[in-house]
Amino acid sequence: MPGALDGVRVLDLATMVAGPVATMILADQGADVIKVESPRGDLMRHFSRGRNGMNAAFLSCNRNKRSLAVDLKSADGLEIIKKLIATAHAFVHNFRPGIAERMGLGEEAVRAIRRDIVYVSITGYGTKGPYANQRAYDPVIQAMSGLADIQRDRDTGRPRMVRTIIADYTTALTAAQAITAALFASERSGQGQHVQLSMLDSMISYLWPEAMPGLTFVGAETDPSDGEVGPDLVFATQDRYITAAALSDDEWAGICRALNRQELIEDPRFKTARDRSINAVERRTITSAELEKWRADEILRRLLANDVPCAPVLSRFELLQDDQVRENHILEEFETKAFGKVRMPRAAAQFDRTPATVRAMAPVLGADNAAILGELGYEAADIARLEGNRVVHNQPNKESADG
């Protein structure tokens, strides 16, 4: 069955992670995503050797796409992109401000070719301000957005980074939703629009409701870090780490019963959710000390019997064998000619009528040059000339990347 975005064509000029993951989500949902790369390819292709010329990071950010490797600095290369624009519903890039315009691919130039196109520009900091033209990678955004401060060490006060590129993925999810909304609006109105979003915007919006409520009421600001500097929600038991959370009164009563500390249920320090928030450091310290008295399997059974949200802290290898992950087929394996057996997560959103599926692995560089150019009306002799003039480029001696 076709996906929800079947018939939608997206030109993806974005590199690295945020933009490519956003367009990969659209590709999973059926869009024809054409990844436009320079003859050298997206930098993500070069971070590790991987298998048969494909590394795992690039593979996991670019499945279900087609690759066109073209020199955009050449007149013939720019002409190819202009012809593609005429066939596309969305145009996505993550150039720094002003670069697209200098390339001849700013919004005005693109919209002159296709009036109703959704033009999407993803930046690090936005188009204005002192940081607008600086390079932005995930750790920089973690530092700027307040996330590193939120993660600071409770003993030393040293800020710390989340050990995954959370700002990139948050931006990717924000962008995918925004692109879909803009496509929906275009379908209804017949008009395109410019969608602008930055990594800094996305991350601050993501963090605000939970990490910065104390800054919400103007004139009555409180320190958002109050109560944050106690032990975190990873607890040691006698044999392994677990997590457990008690937000509601019933959950707090449940954790107290599970720990045989029923007297804490009526303790005025922890009587209400507000009390528990005010006294969060003391509450977590007590909880941590009590959990250390138990084996993980025993206390997890007791917590679950009292309807307390809890789980073991799994290693990444344990994740592969976890019953919940396996029962829901969250991870899938694919046999491919080019890369052997490949494991990756399925599309997270499952549609019952227009399924999101993994149809193909990420393409090798320029794998679809001939097919895409042929769709645009280029004859075999034209394609040979473009290849000879190094306007388009193919990664040599690689088999098909299809799953």
Side-chain angles (χ1 to χ4, degrees), residues 181-204:
L183 288 168
F184 180 66
S186 178
E187 181 70 19
R188 292 196 299 178
S189 69
Q191 297 180 332
Q193 59 185 300
H194 188 174
V195 177
Q196 301 182 64
L197 69 153
S198 76
M199 294 175 69
L200 185 59
D201 260 299
S202 300
M203 204 62 205
I204 290 175

Side-chain angles (χ1 to χ4, degrees), residues 23 30 60 75 88 90 110 120 132 135 225 234 262 287 294 340 355 373 394 399:
T23 55
S60 298
V110 169
V120 184
R135 291 184 180 274
S225 67
V234 174
Q262 286 89 338
T287 303
W294 300 82
L373 292 172
N394 295 88
E399 298 179 78

Side-chain angles (χ1 to χ4, degrees), residues 53 106 112 125 181 183 188 211 221 230 283 299 330 342 354 357 364 385 402:
Y125 304 102
L183 288 168
R188 292 196 299 178
E221 291 86 355
R283 172 175 53 84
I299 193 59
I330 293 174
V342 173
T354 55
T357 59
V364 297
R385 174 181 61 81
D402 288 352

